[in-house]
Structures are given as C-alpha cells and as structure tokens.
Amino acid sequence: MADIVSPEKRSLMMSGIRGKNTKPEIQIRKMLHAAGFRFRLHRKDLPGKPDIVLPRYKVAIFVHGCFWHGHDNCHLFRLPKSRTEFWEAKISGNIARDKLKQEQLLSEGWRVLLVRECALKGKMALDTAVLSNDIKQFVCSPKQLFREISGKPRTPNI
C-alpha cells in the first residue's frame, strides 16, 4: 500500500521525532526525582549515551521507544509495509547497537536498566506505582546487573 502523504510531508513528520527528552523519558525522570534520586542526562562519556545516569548507584537507564528499538510482540511495534527492507535494516541495526552498548556498559561495571515505551503508555502500560517501585528496586539492588521493564504480558483470550 502506498503512503497516504507525500514524501516531503513524511520527511517533515519524521524529522519532528526527537531522540532526547521524549515524553516517556521525562516520565521516568519525574518518577526518579520524586523518589529522591538525583541523576545526570545523556552522558556522552558513556557507551550509548544513556538517557539517565545515576552515578551514585552506577546505573545507566535507557528509555526505548518500541518502534525504533524493535520490541517484538508489542502492540506499539509494527514493521511498516512500505520500504520494508530499509526499515528491517534500520531497526535491526538499532537492536544490534543497543546490545553492544549495553554489553560495554556492563563490562565497565555499570548496571543497565532498560525501560520500554509500552511500560508507560498504551493498553499494556504498567501502573505508575508498580513501575516506580520496579525502578527503585533495581536501582537499590546492587546484585542485579541488567533488567528490562516492558508492558504487561498479553493474556490469551478465553
């Protein structure tokens, strides 16, 4: 199926998508701040420039959009029907880069928390109190090195 907008309009729409200070990222920052944590943003000296860094706890937090980071089995991710080869290459490249940067952080002694967009919005979103508690638990438990938080698992229709 052809795109319903012109290539120029699509380009304009795509250029408006931000990589920093997204709504999900700001939500996580508000939760952390309300819980008393202090943090730094987008540290360029760390692999992958984590969205949020808690130096005191040596925790790097990434807030990933489900589409851009290819979150499988998620209601917020669907591969576009046009230019499929381009999008497959783009998203798989993002996934590979994410994994490499996470491994580099772990090897440097950092703990990594990955929060998916679906944990914050959409029909699978977690309760704010539950999400906040999960984040606090990870930050305060030095034995856990990596954790991914995503939306509620789908329940089969009965």
Side-chain angles (χ1 to χ4, degrees), residues 1-3 67 78-88:
M1 183 173 149
D3 201 347
F67 173 76
R78 189 181 74 229
L79 197 63
K81 300 227 187 291
S82 62
R83 299 186 62 206
T84 307
E85 299 82 23
F86 167 80
W87 286 110
E88 283 175 346

Side-chain angles (χ1 to χ4, degrees), residues 82-157:
S82 62
R83 299 186 62 206
T84 307
E85 299 82 23
F86 167 80
W87 286 110
E88 283 175 346
K90 169 75 176 155
I91 293 169
S92 63
N94 289 348
I95 293 168
R97 185 175 56 253
D98 293 341
K99 187 172 175 78
L100 174 67
K101 299 304 178 185
Q102 290 165 10
E103 288 171 358
Q104 288 173 342
L105 281 165
L106 290 167
S107 70
E108 291 180 17
W110 286 85
R111 297 183 304 125
V112 178
L113 176 63
L114 172 59
V115 181
R116 298 279 186 176
E117 176 186 23
C118 59
L120 295 159
K121 74 178 209 181
K123 60 187 175 188
M124 304 296 205
L126 300 176
D127 179 64
T128 306
V130 171
L131 179 60
S132 181
N133 189 48
D134 285 352
I135 293 170
K136 282 189 264 185
Q137 273 187 330
F138 178 82
V139 171
C140 294
S141 64
K143 292 185 180 179
Q144 194 173 12
L145 300 178
F146 177 82
R147 171 121 194 251
E148 179 178 337
I149 300 174
S150 58
K152 296 177 203 166
R154 292 183 181 175
T155 55
N157 295 336

Side-chain angles (χ1 to χ4, degrees), residues 25 28-29 32 39-41 50-54 59-61 63:
E25 187 180 321
I28 297 297
R29 293 189 325 213
L32 287 166
F39 47 84
R40 298 283 171 248
L41 303 176
D51 298 312
I52 303 166
V53 178
L54 291 95
V59 170
I61 301 175
V63 183

